[in-house]
Each structure stands twice: as structure tokens, then as C-alpha cells.
Amino acid sequence: MAMKRMRPPQPNRKGVYEVHDVIARHVPRRLSQGWTFIEQKSIDISGPWMAARAAVKDELGKLPRSKSEAIEMLREAGYEVIDGSDR
């Protein structure tokens, strides 16, 4: 089944816009309800830590203290994280 990543027009009760995987056949209905597509972004942090840390700051505006914190911050922001240590 083909899935599309979409975001609803209204935030949840905590004020966070959730990202949902929507089945392709439901996409036209969701679009008519005001849902929008989410672009899948990826970032590579497998290089030297200082360069990866600077890349995270450029993307999110915050400096992480550790690589695990950087991965968590990026995933919460909707990024696909590419890390050489995961292989």
C-alpha cells in the first residue's frame, strides 16, 4: 500500500501538529478537509561531530549537547536521520 505523510489543518490539544501516514486512496478526501503533504527531509550526521552539530543548528536553530540528543531532536522535527553508527 502506498502511504503519504500528511499533516492535519488543526493542531492537537497540546498545540502540536501531528504527522500521519495516510493511505493513498484517502488522500483526496484529506486534501479536501484541509490536510497538507509533509515533505520528507533527511539529514546526514555521520561525519565529524562538530560539523554534524553545526548542521543541526542550521536546521533547527538549537545546538544539541550529544549525538543522541541531536538524533532525538531531528526525529521530533520530522527529519529522517542518516547516521553511520546505525549500520
Side-chain angles (χ1 to χ4, degrees):
M1 256 183 216
M3 302 290 275
K4 304 289 183 179
R5 295 180 62 81
M6 298 185 79
R7 184 183 85 165
Q10 302 291 327
N12 66 9
R13 60 186 173 93
K14 295 179 182 177
V16 177
Y17 285 93
E18 297 174 340
V19 176
H20 299 273
D21 290 327
V22 178
I23 299 172
R25 68 173 188 232
H26 295 286
V27 169
R29 182 182 57 183
R30 298 290 168 105
L31 286 173
S32 69
Q33 294 171 345
W35 287 53
T36 55
F37 288 108
I38 297 293
E39 177 182 319
Q40 181 68 27
K41 300 178 256 180
S42 64
I43 187 167
D44 185 6
I45 61 169
S46 61
W49 169 237
M50 295 312 262
R53 189 172 187 233
V56 172
K57 183 176 185 336
D58 290 343
E59 293 293 325
L60 302 179
K62 295 187 250 179
L63 281 173
R65 290 182 290 236
S66 66
K67 196 169 201 177
S68 61
E69 182 182 3
I71 291 170
E72 182 180 330
M73 287 169 52
L74 289 165
R75 287 189 177 148
E76 286 177 3
Y79 285 83
E80 177 186 350
V81 180
I82 301 167
D83 183 16
S85 64
D86 287 345
R87 296 177 197 174

